[in-house]
Amino acid sequence: NAGVTQTPKFQVLKTGQSMTLQCAQDMNHNSMYWYRQDPGMGLRLIYYSASEGTTDKGEVPNGYNVSRLNKREFSLRLESAAPSQTSVYFCASRRTGEKLFFGSGTQLSVL
Amino acid sequence: GIQVEQSPPDLILQEGANSTLRCNFSDSVNNLQWFHQNPWGQLINLFYIPSGTKQNGRLSATTVATERYSLLYISSSQTTDSGVYFCASSKGSARQLTFGSGTQLTVLP
């Protein structure tokens, strides 16, 4: 049982480049989330998906897009990376009314 | 949205000491969770505790929803307890959790 799996673990981009962060969970959870963590800022929600086929903006959605490909997978795309998007990104999932489980994170640097 | 405040922001303990971490939230909630982020960045869910008290080994948590706070107790602390402790909450039918800014705990040997 792998839980929540994120790829890649590390990534360096140049300003303007695009990339997709992948996330998959094998716990049959209906809700999936993308958070970013910056020093001293805690975790801030970028986007979430309450169920397959639905996505909603969180606190800091600008500059990002998401796709809930199926019940297992939820990807986060940066179309044109900016230095302000340098951060650690976490994917998470849960069943409604239950614990939230996190992936191991992706450390992204935008130069 | 809900505001979540944690205190203290930093805490340094000697191994074996006990501690209490506090989480205040601005509105009535139906979802309160505690997490530990270890020094390698991994986030582990400690408790799902919208109300009442739960215990897991040396850790226990209490949420008093009517008074809008939750407490995390760590007894007989160990160096492996070091890291950042976050609480997160949501209200009503909201699916997204709002996180506090965390308590940085350092346990000295």
Side-chain angles (χ1 to χ4, degrees):
Chain A
N1 213 355
V4 181
T5 303
Q6 284 182 241
T7 56
K9 293 191 183 304
F10 303 94
Q11 184 71 50
V12 179
L13 294 177
K14 295 181 179 179
T15 296
Q17 287 185 317
S18 62
M19 79 160 296
T20 300
L21 280 64
Q22 307 285 354
C23 176
Q25 52 90 11
D26 61 2
M27 296 176 282
N28 201 33
H29 289 168
N30 53 310
S31 298
M32 297 186 73
Y33 306 80
W34 278 104
Y35 286 89
R36 61 177 287 174
Q37 185 177 30
D38 302 299
M41 298 287 290
L43 288 117
R44 293 184 293 169
L45 183 65
I46 306 171
Y47 270 94
Y48 70 102
S49 171
S51 61
E52 185 178 353
T54 68
T55 60
D56 287 284
K57 295 179 180 179
E59 183 184 353
V60 288
N62 291 345
Y64 305 96
N65 286 302
V66 290
S67 295
R68 184 74 182 267
L69 304 170
N70 47 55
K71 191 170 187 178
R72 290 187 64 250
E73 299 172 289
F74 188 39
S75 63
L76 177 72
R77 182 160 178 85
L78 287 70
E79 291 290 352
S80 179
S84 61
Q85 294 178 306
T86 294
S87 189
V88 180
Y89 291 84
F90 288 96
C91 178
S93 72
R94 71 181 178 121
R95 195 170 286 122
T96 304
E98 297 185 6
K99 284 185 173 184
L100 185 68
F101 292 89
F102 281 93
S104 57
T106 296
Q107 192 163 324
L108 175 65
S109 295
V110 183
L111 308 177
Chain B
I2 293 175
Q3 306 299 314
V4 180
E5 294 184 357
Q6 292 187 242
S7 60
D10 297 281
L11 187 59
I12 300 175
L13 300 174
Q14 207 67 41
E15 197 169 25
N18 303 327
S19 62
T20 301
L21 283 58
R22 187 177 180 101
C23 174
N24 291 332
F25 34 92
S26 61
D27 204 342
S28 57
V29 300
N30 58 357
N31 185 348
L32 193 292
Q33 305 195 29
W34 283 96
F35 300 85
H36 175 222
Q37 187 169 37
N38 65 24
W40 297 271
Q42 187 180 15
L43 282 155
I44 302 298
N45 193 305
L46 299 175
F47 293 103
Y48 170 77
I49 184 165
S51 64
T53 298
K54 288 187 178 180
Q55 181 155 8
N56 185 1
R58 296 180 295 104
L59 273 61
S60 64
T62 295
T63 298
V64 184
T66 53
E67 297 189 20
R68 302 182 185 176
Y69 73 89
S70 183
L71 302 174
L72 178 69
Y73 304 95
I74 305 174
S75 64
S76 303
S77 58
Q78 301 175 357
T79 56
T80 52
D81 294 331
S82 294
V84 184
Y85 290 80
F86 292 101
C87 68
S89 66
S90 65
K91 65 173 290 187
S93 60
R95 304 298 181 106
Q96 67 271 35
L97 291 169
T98 299
F99 280 75
S101 55
T103 292
Q104 173 79 55
L105 175 66
T106 303
V107 181
L108 302 174

